[in-house]
Amino acid sequence: MQEYIFFNGDFIEADKAVLPVRTHAFLYGTSVFEGIRAYYNNGQMYVFRMREHYERLLRSAKIILMDSPYTVDEYCKQTIELLKKNNYKQDVYIRPTIYTSSDKISPGLNGTKTGYLLFTTPFGDYYDPSRGLDLCISSWRRTSDNAIPPRAKIAGAYANAALINTDAHNCGFDDAIVLSETGQVTEGSAMNMMFVKGGKLITTNITDDILVGVTRNTVIELAKELGIEVVERAVDRSELYIMDEIFVCGTGAQITHVASIDRRPIADGKIGELTSKIQKLYFNVVKGNNEKYIKWCEKVYD
Protein backbone atom coordinates (compact mmCIF):
# COMPACT_ATOMS: atom_id res chain seq x y z
CA MET A 1 0.00 0.00 0.00
CA GLN A 2 1.31 3.45 -0.92
CA GLU A 3 1.64 5.67 2.13
CA TYR A 4 1.52 9.43 2.12
CA ILE A 5 3.19 12.11 4.22
CA PHE A 6 2.22 15.76 4.69
CA PHE A 7 5.41 17.65 3.91
CA ASN A 8 5.66 21.46 3.89
CA GLY A 9 2.15 22.04 2.63
CA ASP A 10 1.63 19.06 0.32
CA PHE A 11 0.56 15.44 0.58
CA ILE A 12 3.31 13.43 -1.13
CA GLU A 13 4.31 9.80 -1.40
CA ALA A 14 6.28 8.75 1.67
CA ASP A 15 9.39 7.65 -0.21
CA LYS A 16 9.67 11.08 -1.84
CA ALA A 17 9.88 12.99 1.46
CA VAL A 18 13.58 13.80 1.92
CA LEU A 19 15.65 16.45 3.74
CA PRO A 20 18.99 17.88 2.58
CA VAL A 21 21.92 16.64 4.70
CA ARG A 22 22.78 20.19 5.78
CA THR A 23 19.34 20.89 7.19
CA HIS A 24 19.76 22.73 10.51
CA ALA A 25 17.41 20.38 12.37
CA PHE A 26 19.43 17.34 11.27
CA LEU A 27 22.75 18.91 12.24
CA TYR A 28 21.69 20.32 15.64
CA GLY A 29 18.52 18.52 16.74
CA THR A 30 16.49 21.73 16.47
CA SER A 31 13.00 20.38 15.99
CA VAL A 32 9.99 19.77 18.19
CA PHE A 33 7.52 16.95 17.77
CA GLU A 34 4.54 15.09 19.15
CA GLY A 35 3.57 11.44 19.37
CA ILE A 36 -0.16 10.84 18.97
CA ARG A 37 -2.09 7.57 18.86
CA ALA A 38 -5.11 6.68 16.78
CA TYR A 39 -7.04 3.53 17.72
CA TYR A 40 -9.00 1.43 15.21
CA ASN A 41 -12.15 -0.05 16.72
CA ASN A 42 -15.28 -1.49 15.10
CA GLY A 43 -14.63 0.06 11.70
CA GLN A 44 -13.83 3.51 13.05
CA MET A 45 -10.51 5.17 13.88
CA TYR A 46 -10.26 7.48 16.89
CA VAL A 47 -7.41 9.98 17.27
CA PHE A 48 -6.88 10.40 20.99
CA ARG A 49 -6.63 13.94 22.39
CA MET A 50 -5.28 15.31 19.13
CA ARG A 51 -5.95 18.95 19.95
CA GLU A 52 -4.12 18.75 23.29
CA HIS A 53 -1.08 17.28 21.54
CA TYR A 54 -0.98 20.08 18.98
CA GLU A 55 -1.41 22.69 21.69
CA ARG A 56 1.67 21.22 23.38
CA LEU A 57 3.53 21.21 20.05
CA LEU A 58 2.99 24.97 19.80
CA ARG A 59 4.22 25.46 23.38
CA SER A 60 7.35 23.47 22.58
CA ALA A 61 7.95 25.58 19.46
CA LYS A 62 7.60 28.77 21.47
CA ILE A 63 10.16 27.64 24.04
CA ILE A 64 12.73 26.90 21.32
CA LEU A 65 12.01 30.15 19.42
CA MET A 66 10.40 28.49 16.42
CA ASP A 67 7.40 29.81 14.53
CA SER A 68 4.48 27.47 13.98
CA PRO A 69 3.46 27.34 10.30
CA TYR A 70 -0.15 26.39 11.11
CA THR A 71 -2.86 26.80 13.73
CA VAL A 72 -4.08 23.95 15.95
CA ASP A 73 -7.24 23.66 13.83
CA GLU A 74 -5.15 23.37 10.66
CA TYR A 75 -2.90 20.71 12.19
CA CYS A 76 -5.94 18.68 13.22
CA LYS A 77 -7.53 18.97 9.76
CA GLN A 78 -4.29 17.89 8.03
CA THR A 79 -3.99 14.88 10.37
CA ILE A 80 -7.49 13.62 9.65
CA GLU A 81 -6.97 14.09 5.90
CA LEU A 82 -3.66 12.19 5.99
CA LEU A 83 -5.17 9.30 7.93
CA LYS A 84 -8.00 9.08 5.41
CA LYS A 85 -5.53 9.04 2.51
CA ASN A 86 -3.55 6.23 4.14
CA ASN A 87 -6.80 4.38 4.95
CA TYR A 88 -5.51 2.32 7.88
CA LYS A 89 -7.53 -0.50 9.40
CA GLN A 90 -5.35 -0.84 12.51
CA ASP A 91 -3.93 1.25 15.34
CA VAL A 92 -1.66 4.06 14.17
CA TYR A 93 1.10 6.31 15.49
CA ILE A 94 1.11 9.95 14.32
CA ARG A 95 4.31 12.04 14.34
CA PRO A 96 4.09 15.77 13.57
CA THR A 97 7.40 17.70 13.56
CA ILE A 98 8.22 21.39 13.30
CA TYR A 99 11.87 21.72 12.29
CA THR A 100 14.45 24.32 11.33
CA SER A 101 14.80 23.88 7.58
CA SER A 102 17.64 26.30 6.84
CA ASP A 103 20.96 25.19 5.34
CA LYS A 104 23.11 26.76 8.03
CA ILE A 105 26.36 25.70 9.71
CA SER A 106 25.77 27.31 13.10
CA PRO A 107 23.66 26.18 16.07
CA GLY A 108 22.02 29.58 16.46
CA LEU A 109 18.31 29.86 15.75
CA ASN A 110 18.34 33.46 14.56
CA GLY A 111 17.33 33.74 10.93
CA THR A 112 16.42 30.08 10.50
CA LYS A 113 13.40 29.06 8.45
CA THR A 114 10.76 26.64 9.75
CA GLY A 115 9.50 23.51 8.02
CA TYR A 116 6.81 21.00 8.93
CA LEU A 117 6.27 17.32 8.28
CA LEU A 118 3.66 14.84 9.43
CA PHE A 119 3.83 11.09 8.99
CA THR A 120 1.70 8.21 10.23
CA THR A 121 2.56 4.54 10.62
CA PRO A 122 0.88 1.35 11.93
CA PHE A 123 1.75 0.93 15.60
CA GLY A 124 0.91 -1.67 18.19
CA ASP A 125 1.88 -1.94 21.86
CA TYR A 126 5.23 -0.38 22.79
CA TYR A 127 5.10 -2.47 25.96
CA ASP A 128 2.91 -5.50 26.56
CA PRO A 129 0.31 -4.02 28.96
CA SER A 130 -0.40 -7.49 30.39
CA ARG A 131 3.21 -7.98 31.54
CA GLY A 132 4.90 -5.99 34.28
CA LEU A 133 8.05 -4.01 33.53
CA ASP A 134 11.39 -4.59 35.22
CA LEU A 135 12.96 -1.15 35.59
CA CYS A 136 16.19 0.22 37.02
CA ILE A 137 17.30 3.61 38.25
CA SER A 138 19.42 5.09 35.49
CA SER A 139 22.93 6.37 36.18
CA TRP A 140 22.17 9.14 33.68
CA ARG A 141 20.28 12.24 34.84
CA ARG A 142 17.37 13.98 33.15
CA THR A 143 18.31 17.22 31.41
CA SER A 144 17.15 20.16 33.52
CA ASP A 145 14.86 23.07 32.74
CA ASN A 146 17.91 25.32 32.59
CA ALA A 147 19.74 23.05 30.12
CA ILE A 148 17.35 21.49 27.60
CA PRO A 149 13.88 21.95 29.13
CA PRO A 150 12.03 18.60 29.32
CA ARG A 151 8.65 20.35 29.20
CA ALA A 152 9.40 21.04 25.53
CA LYS A 153 9.42 17.95 23.32
CA ILE A 154 12.71 18.80 21.59
CA ALA A 155 14.19 16.15 19.30
CA GLY A 156 17.79 16.85 20.35
CA ALA A 157 16.91 16.16 23.99
CA TYR A 158 16.04 12.57 23.10
CA ALA A 159 19.74 11.71 22.98
CA ASN A 160 19.31 11.73 26.76
CA ALA A 161 16.43 9.25 26.51
CA ALA A 162 18.42 7.10 24.08
CA LEU A 163 21.33 6.74 26.52
CA ILE A 164 18.97 5.94 29.39
CA ASN A 165 16.93 3.36 27.51
CA THR A 166 19.91 1.69 25.83
CA ASP A 167 21.91 1.27 29.04
CA ALA A 168 18.85 -0.18 30.78
CA HIS A 169 18.40 -2.75 28.01
CA ASN A 170 22.10 -3.61 28.04
CA CYS A 171 21.81 -4.36 31.76
CA GLY A 172 18.81 -6.66 31.26
CA PHE A 173 16.00 -4.25 32.20
CA ASP A 174 12.97 -3.20 30.17
CA ASP A 175 13.61 0.49 30.74
CA ALA A 176 14.69 2.96 33.40
CA ILE A 177 13.54 5.64 35.81
CA VAL A 178 15.51 8.88 35.72
CA LEU A 179 16.53 11.13 38.60
CA SER A 180 17.12 14.86 38.46
CA GLU A 181 20.49 16.44 39.22
CA THR A 182 19.21 16.92 42.80
CA GLY A 183 18.50 13.18 43.07
CA GLN A 184 14.71 13.14 42.98
CA VAL A 185 12.50 11.13 40.63
CA THR A 186 11.56 12.79 37.34
CA GLU A 187 10.11 10.26 34.89
CA GLY A 188 11.04 7.26 32.77
CA SER A 189 13.23 7.41 29.68
CA ALA A 190 10.24 8.60 27.64
CA MET A 191 7.16 8.18 29.85
CA ASN A 192 5.67 9.61 33.03
CA MET A 193 5.56 7.71 36.32
CA MET A 194 2.58 7.02 38.57
CA PHE A 195 2.72 5.57 42.08
CA VAL A 196 0.11 4.22 44.48
CA LYS A 197 0.53 4.38 48.25
CA GLY A 198 -2.20 4.05 50.85
CA GLY A 199 -4.94 4.22 48.22
CA LYS A 200 -3.67 7.53 46.80
CA LEU A 201 -2.27 8.10 43.33
CA ILE A 202 1.03 9.98 43.49
CA THR A 203 2.93 11.57 40.62
CA THR A 204 5.81 14.02 40.29
CA ASN A 205 5.25 17.77 40.00
CA ILE A 206 5.16 19.45 36.61
CA THR A 207 8.18 21.47 37.81
CA ASP A 208 10.26 18.33 38.47
CA ASP A 209 11.96 18.26 35.05
CA ILE A 210 9.30 16.19 33.29
CA LEU A 211 7.43 16.36 30.03
CA VAL A 212 3.92 17.29 31.11
CA GLY A 213 2.26 14.33 29.45
CA VAL A 214 -1.13 14.31 27.76
CA THR A 215 -1.54 10.72 28.98
CA ARG A 216 -0.42 11.82 32.46
CA ASN A 217 -3.18 14.43 32.50
CA THR A 218 -5.64 11.83 31.22
CA VAL A 219 -4.72 9.42 34.03
CA ILE A 220 -5.17 12.13 36.65
CA GLU A 221 -8.65 12.93 35.37
CA LEU A 222 -9.66 9.27 35.10
CA ALA A 223 -8.37 8.57 38.61
CA LYS A 224 -10.54 11.34 39.98
CA GLU A 225 -13.47 9.84 38.05
CA LEU A 226 -12.82 6.59 39.94
CA GLY A 227 -12.78 8.44 43.27
CA ILE A 228 -9.01 8.10 43.73
CA GLU A 229 -7.22 10.97 45.46
CA VAL A 230 -4.37 12.35 43.34
CA VAL A 231 -1.27 13.92 44.92
CA GLU A 232 1.42 15.74 42.90
CA ARG A 233 4.67 16.03 44.85
CA ALA A 234 8.40 15.38 44.84
CA VAL A 235 9.29 11.68 45.08
CA ASP A 236 12.54 10.27 46.51
CA ARG A 237 14.34 7.30 45.01
CA SER A 238 14.00 5.12 48.10
CA GLU A 239 10.23 5.65 48.12
CA LEU A 240 9.99 3.73 44.87
CA TYR A 241 10.96 0.45 46.48
CA ILE A 242 8.14 0.58 49.03
CA MET A 243 5.25 1.80 46.88
CA ASP A 244 2.10 -0.35 46.80
CA GLU A 245 1.83 -0.06 43.01
CA ILE A 246 3.73 1.67 40.21
CA PHE A 247 2.85 2.15 36.56
CA VAL A 248 4.17 4.09 33.61
CA CYS A 249 2.01 6.12 31.24
CA GLY A 250 2.48 7.80 27.90
CA THR A 251 1.33 7.76 24.30
CA GLY A 252 3.78 4.95 23.56
CA ALA A 253 3.75 3.21 26.93
CA GLN A 254 -0.03 3.59 27.39
CA ILE A 255 -0.72 2.17 30.90
CA THR A 256 1.75 -0.53 31.92
CA HIS A 257 2.44 -1.70 35.46
CA VAL A 258 5.91 -2.00 36.96
CA ALA A 259 6.82 -5.38 38.44
CA SER A 260 10.20 -4.45 39.90
CA ILE A 261 12.76 -1.68 40.29
CA ASP A 262 16.46 -2.47 40.72
CA ARG A 263 15.51 -6.14 41.18
CA ARG A 264 13.21 -5.25 44.08
CA PRO A 265 9.62 -6.41 43.46
CA ILE A 266 6.88 -3.81 43.77
CA ALA A 267 4.50 -5.44 46.27
CA ASP A 268 3.99 -8.95 44.83
CA GLY A 269 5.12 -7.91 41.34
CA LYS A 270 1.63 -8.28 39.87
CA ILE A 271 -0.61 -5.54 38.56
CA GLY A 272 -2.29 -3.71 41.45
CA GLU A 273 -5.98 -3.07 41.97
CA LEU A 274 -5.93 0.66 41.26
CA THR A 275 -3.59 0.29 38.30
CA SER A 276 -5.88 -2.37 36.84
CA LYS A 277 -8.95 -0.14 37.21
CA ILE A 278 -7.23 2.83 35.58
CA GLN A 279 -5.81 0.69 32.77
CA LYS A 280 -9.21 -0.82 31.97
CA LEU A 281 -10.94 2.56 31.94
CA TYR A 282 -8.15 4.10 29.86
CA PHE A 283 -8.40 1.51 27.06
CA ASN A 284 -12.18 1.86 26.99
CA VAL A 285 -11.81 5.62 26.64
CA VAL A 286 -9.14 5.71 23.91
CA LYS A 287 -11.05 3.22 21.77
CA GLY A 288 -14.18 5.35 21.79
CA ASN A 289 -16.16 3.02 24.06
CA ASN A 290 -16.87 5.53 26.82
CA GLU A 291 -19.44 8.13 25.85
CA LYS A 292 -18.44 10.50 28.66
CA TYR A 293 -15.00 10.97 27.16
CA ILE A 294 -15.86 10.69 23.47
CA LYS A 295 -14.89 14.39 23.16
CA TRP A 296 -11.26 13.23 23.45
CA CYS A 297 -11.64 10.86 20.47
CA GLU A 298 -11.68 12.47 17.05
CA LYS A 299 -13.32 10.25 14.43
CA VAL A 300 -11.44 9.77 11.15
CA TYR A 301 -13.84 7.93 8.89
CA ASP A 302 -17.22 9.38 7.86
Side-chain angles (χ1 to χ4, degrees), residues 46-58:
Y46 300 95
V47 187
F48 187 62
R49 303 201 75 171
M50 177 168 59
R51 175 168 292 274
E52 288 88 342
H53 278 285
Y54 281 118
E55 288 170 348
R56 188 174 65 180
L57 181 70
L58 266 60

Side-chain angles (χ1 to χ4, degrees), residues 127 133 135-137 142 175-179 185-196 201-205 210-211 213 216 219-220 231-233 235 240 243 245-250 253 256-258 260-261 266:
Y127 298 125
L133 298 175
L135 304 183
C136 64
I137 305 298
R142 175 61 78 222
D175 215 311
I177 298 172
V178 196
L179 306 181
V185 174
T186 61
E187 54 190 353
S189 66
M191 63 277 191
N192 292 132
M193 304 297 306
M194 294 283 175
F195 317 101
V196 176
L201 183 68
I202 301 167
T203 190
T204 49
N205 294 303
I210 69 168
L211 176 71
R216 173 187 181 276
V219 168
I220 289 172
V231 179
E232 297 179 66
R233 65 168 176 82
V235 176
L240 301 178
M243 291 291 183
E245 304 174 34
I246 298 178
F247 64 93
V248 300
C249 66
T256 308
H257 84 278
V258 176
S260 71
I261 297 175
I266 304 305

Side-chain angles (χ1 to χ4, degrees), residues 56-76:
R56 188 174 65 180
L57 181 70
L58 266 60
R59 293 194 296 270
S60 294
K62 185 174 184 179
I63 289 172
I64 200 173
L65 292 171
M66 296 172 66
D67 294 327
S68 172
Y70 302 106
T71 66
V72 170
D73 286 340
E74 288 170 330
Y75 285 125
C76 291

Side-chain angles (χ1 to χ4, degrees), residues 33-48:
F33 70 96
E34 279 296 318
I36 309 169
R37 273 191 185 263
Y39 292 87
Y40 187 73
N41 184 31
N42 292 326
Q44 182 58 268
M45 181 172 286
Y46 300 95
V47 187
F48 187 62

Side-chain angles (χ1 to χ4, degrees), residues 28-295:
Y28 300 107
T30 49
S31 65
V32 294
F33 70 96
E34 279 296 318
I36 309 169
R37 273 191 185 263
Y39 292 87
Y40 187 73
N41 184 31
N42 292 326
Q44 182 58 268
M45 181 172 286
Y46 300 95
V47 187
F48 187 62
R49 303 201 75 171
M50 177 168 59
R51 175 168 292 274
E52 288 88 342
H53 278 285
Y54 281 118
E55 288 170 348
R56 188 174 65 180
L57 181 70
L58 266 60
R59 293 194 296 270
S60 294
K62 185 174 184 179
I63 289 172
I64 200 173
L65 292 171
M66 296 172 66
D67 294 327
S68 172
Y70 302 106
T71 66
V72 170
D73 286 340
E74 288 170 330
Y75 285 125
C76 291
K77 183 178 179 180
Q78 292 157 4
T79 302
I80 297 298
E81 188 172 350
L82 181 60
L83 289 169
K84 285 181 177 179
K85 286 180 73 69
N86 285 328
N87 195 32
Y88 298 108
K89 304 299 181 185
Q90 58 191 302
D91 293 351
V92 173
Y93 178 78
I94 302 161
R95 171 65 69 90
T97 300
I98 301 173
Y99 68 97
T100 50
S101 59
S102 298
D103 178 344
K104 179 183 177 184
I105 310 301
S106 167
L109 292 161
N110 294 327
T112 54
K113 297 178 182 178
T114 299
Y116 177 69
L117 63 89
L118 170 69
F119 72 80
T120 58
T121 189
F123 194 65
D125 292 329
Y126 186 70
Y127 298 125
D128 180 354
S130 68
R131 186 185 72 81
L133 298 175
D134 295 312
L135 304 183
C136 64
I137 305 298
S138 180
S139 60
W140 297 98
R141 295 292 181 260
R142 175 61 78 222
T143 56
S144 74
D145 190 69
N146 287 311
I148 304 177
R151 68 162 35 85
K153 205 168 174 66
I154 301 169
Y158 276 70
N160 182 235
L163 290 168
I164 292 160
N165 178 275
T166 302
D167 279 3
H169 277 271
N170 288 344
C171 293
F173 295 95
D174 295 308
D175 215 311
I177 298 172
V178 196
L179 306 181
S180 67
E181 289 293 351
T182 59
Q184 290 184 309
V185 174
T186 61
E187 54 190 353
S189 66
M191 63 277 191
N192 292 132
M193 304 297 306
M194 294 283 175
F195 317 101
V196 176
K197 190 68 176 176
K200 298 178 182 179
L201 183 68
I202 301 167
T203 190
T204 49
N205 294 303
I206 62 173
T207 52
D208 287 343
D209 289 336
I210 69 168
L211 176 71
V212 184
V214 174
T215 309
R216 173 187 181 276
N217 294 342
T218 300
V219 168
I220 289 172
E221 186 157 342
L222 295 182
K224 292 176 179 177
E225 168 77 10
L226 293 169
I228 302 167
E229 182 180 350
V230 179
V231 179
E232 297 179 66
R233 65 168 176 82
V235 176
D236 291 331
R237 171 180 179 162
S238 60
E239 286 188 273
L240 301 178
Y241 306 135
I242 56 174
M243 291 291 183
D244 299 330
E245 304 174 34
I246 298 178
F247 64 93
V248 300
C249 66
T251 297
Q254 302 179 108
I255 309 293
T256 308
H257 84 278
V258 176
S260 71
I261 297 175
D262 290 341
R263 307 302 184 194
R264 296 166 173 83
I266 304 305
D268 61 4
K270 299 177 181 179
I271 189 169
E273 181 181 354
L274 294 191
T275 302
S276 182
K277 286 180 179 180
I278 292 171
Q279 185 188 73
K280 182 178 179 180
L281 178 56
Y282 177 81
F283 281 114
N284 275 328
V285 168
V286 299
K287 293 179 180 181
N289 293 330
N290 189 309
E291 195 62 34
K292 181 174 182 178
Y293 295 100
I294 199 67
K295 62 184 179 182

